[in-house]
Amino acid sequence: ASSFWGAQLALAFEQRGAATKVVQMGDAGMGIISSTFMLDSFPAWRALDGAAFPLFVVPDEFPQDPVDLGSLSMPLLYRWIAQRFPNSVWSQYSSAADWVQAFFFLTQKQGEGSAANAKDQLDWNIEMNKMYDAFIPGNPANLLHMVGPGDYHCNIRKDIHWHVDAGNHQPLFKVLHGMFLEDVNPGNIDCRVTGGEENCIRGVDLREKAE
């Protein structure tokens, strides 16, 4: 949500002629959205009927009348936003085994709510990595993808951002400080790169998986 609000903010600055650089970091917005959900459930939200959906970032070559919902995905929308506003910085951070995003992934698969367990967290992690790994090579330099160890959900709004690993063995707050106060682009950060899969699930309770 913060990514889409950030796009609206960047557009407002642009329309007013302000040369304002937006620096945005989304928190835990790497959910897996199935094509079935987009085609069957998303239209009921009527997001395309008003100004909620950022149609101004959709490139001309993509079908817009109507929008091809079956081809939409979160990483595609993030890429479009970054391409539309190249002078701003757009980023998304998530823990590698986010239990809330695992819950929603499970709900979409089963069609009903259910408590996510360790296997579901790992399943979500696999699908999340598969989806974003396919997009990262083609993303612009002002779009950053960051995944750190653990299973916390929404790290930035809590005080754990002072000590939670950003994925590069640095506290997340240091990455935030560099981006927002020092105009530093840290690049993509992935806990797999800095320590492998075992590093990504560090601190995650996987006991039920072993049973």
Side-chain angles (χ1 to χ4, degrees):
S2 62
S3 300
F4 304 139
W5 165 240
Q8 298 281 1
L9 187 63
L11 179 65
F13 285 136
E14 180 185 89
Q15 291 173 337
R16 287 162 176 76
T20 302
K21 177 181 179 179
V22 173
V23 179
Q24 174 270 348
M25 177 178 282
D27 196 358
M30 298 181 192
I32 308 300
I33 301 175
S34 68
S35 58
T36 301
F37 171 83
M38 291 300 297
L39 293 172
D40 297 341
S41 299
F42 183 72
W45 295 13
R46 303 180 68 86
L48 296 174
D49 295 345
F53 190 86
L55 285 170
F56 54 89
V57 305
V58 181
D60 293 338
E61 61 269 20
F62 190 85
Q64 298 184 41
D65 190 19
V67 172
D68 182 7
L69 294 177
S71 298
L72 287 180
S73 67
M74 296 292 282
L76 182 60
L77 286 171
Y78 293 153
R79 176 187 286 176
W80 286 345
I81 292 171
Q83 291 173 334
R84 175 64 176 79
F85 301 103
N87 295 323
S88 293
V89 178
W90 310 92
S91 64
Q92 191 70 226
Y93 175 86
S94 177
S95 59
D98 185 320
W99 69 272
V100 174
Q101 295 188 85
F103 163 76
F104 285 115
F105 180 52
L106 175 65
T107 300
Q108 286 198 55
K109 288 193 300 181
Q110 294 189 346
E112 60 184 20
S114 180
N117 60 28
K119 181 181 183 304
D120 299 315
Q121 290 174 268
L122 296 180
D123 286 347
W124 171 79
N125 172 266
I126 291 170
E127 293 301 317
M128 181 272 292
N129 284 330
K130 184 188 304 182
M131 173 175 284
Y132 283 86
D133 285 351
F135 274 85
I136 289 173
N139 283 342
N142 65 320
L143 175 57
L144 310 179
H145 177 75
M146 307 180 190
V147 179
D151 61 358
Y152 289 112
H153 179 70
C154 287
N155 294 270
I156 297 174
R157 66 181 181 85
K158 304 173 186 176
D159 59 5
I160 59 174
H161 77 273
W162 292 104
H163 60 80
V164 71
D165 187 344
N168 59 356
H169 302 312
Q170 290 188 3
L172 182 58
F173 89 89
K174 284 194 173 183
V175 175
L176 288 165
H177 186 280
M179 290 177 60
F180 287 87
L181 299 181
E182 299 176 349
D183 199 25
V184 173
N185 185 329
N188 296 315
I189 298 175
D190 191 331
C191 54
R192 293 175 296 173
V193 175
T194 54
E197 297 289 353
E198 290 300 315
N199 179 46
C200 294
I201 60 173
R202 178 161 40 93
V204 180
D205 185 355
L206 299 176
R207 285 176 294 183
E208 72 263 24
K209 179 177 181 293
E211 294 176 354

